Amino acid sequence: MIQYCLFILLSSFMTDTTNSLKIDFGTDKSGQTWRVINDGVMGGLSQAQARLTDNSVLYRGEISLDNNGGFSSLRSPYERFNFSDFETVTIRFKSKGPTFGFTLETSSYFYQPYYKTVLKSEGDDWQTITVKLTDFKQYQLGRPSGERLAASYLSKIIRIGFINHDKVAKPFELEIDYILFE
């Protein structure tokens, strides 16, 4: 009887009734460990910073094409994400300036393929988009390969993030409320 009660108790803790993962930059302040990575890692001169606000994370800066530059990104720390139980990602954001990409990485080596979906800005208002995870396109060194994210890779994601997508010299701003995997 004690073993049965213990089993029922443990089962209730292990059951995920929501089957979702939410990264909430506003309410939960989930982005405290995220960091900005600019093209300075390759000699570029772009600059950006991110800060948590009361309701979001605000990521802003300016892209420079000088000295072979042209990108800035906001990324989570490396950790193992298993998204194999999820089919979509929903992102609530607003942006000014260029187009941004939302990325899923399976390797810590910059020259290895990664997966991206484009966040199209439609004005200064908040917008919410939902994308199927298997619709993410594969890129390598910023160029599309024509492949899509295979379902077998959903358990191999080690980092997620946002990247300035356009490689155009100008200021930018991206504000993110949450990311929801379902």
Side-chain angles (χ1 to χ4, degrees), residues 142-153:
R143 293 183 205 96
S145 71
E147 300 292 320
R148 291 190 185 265
L149 177 62
S152 61
Y153 280 92

Side-chain angles (χ1 to χ4, degrees), residues 16 19-23 78-88 104-106 133 149-160 181-182:
D16 179 12
N19 199 29
S20 66
L21 169 66
K22 187 173 189 179
I23 301 167
Y78 286 113
E79 63 181 271
R80 177 68 62 189
F81 294 98
N82 184 353
F83 295 143
S84 59
D85 289 338
F86 307 129
E87 293 181 12
T88 62
L104 305 172
E105 298 175 42
T106 58
L133 292 170
L149 177 62
S152 61
Y153 280 92
L154 291 173
S155 64
K156 299 175 183 175
I157 307 300
I158 62 168
R159 185 162 67 173
I160 62 177
F181 292 91
E182 294 182 291

Side-chain angles (χ1 to χ4, degrees), residues 46-172:
S46 298
Q47 296 186 9
Q49 62 278 338
R51 68 176 175 82
L52 289 173
T53 70
D54 290 340
N55 302 311
S56 62
V57 62
L58 182 58
Y59 164 53
R60 63 169 71 157
E62 187 161 353
I63 296 299
S64 170
L65 301 179
D66 294 340
N67 208 29
N68 203 26
F71 81 88
S72 178
S73 61
L74 175 64
R75 301 179 189 183
S76 73
Y78 286 113
E79 63 181 271
R80 177 68 62 189
F81 294 98
N82 184 353
F83 295 143
S84 59
D85 289 338
F86 307 129
E87 293 181 12
T88 62
V89 61
T90 300
I91 304 168
R92 185 170 186 262
F93 72 99
K94 62 181 174 176
S95 66
K96 295 178 186 172
T99 305
F100 292 88
F102 178 65
T103 60
L104 305 172
E105 298 175 42
T106 58
S107 174
S108 61
Y109 298 107
F110 74 91
Y111 53 85
Q112 291 295 315
Y114 61 94
Y115 301 89
K116 179 171 63 175
T117 191
V118 176
L119 307 177
K120 294 180 181 165
S121 178
E122 296 178 8
D124 294 338
D125 296 327
W126 285 102
Q127 48 193 335
T128 304
I129 64 159
T130 300
V131 180
K132 285 181 63 176
L133 292 170
T134 53
D135 284 346
F136 275 62
K137 295 181 181 160
Q138 185 185 74
Y139 287 76
Q140 188 166 9
L141 298 175
R143 293 183 205 96
S145 71
E147 300 292 320
R148 291 190 185 265
L149 177 62
S152 61
Y153 280 92
L154 291 173
S155 64
K156 299 175 183 175
I157 307 300
I158 62 168
R159 185 162 67 173
I160 62 177
F162 296 90
I163 189 163
N164 185 302
H165 181 74
D166 291 344
K167 197 166 178 141
V168 174
K170 66 183 192 180
F172 68 87

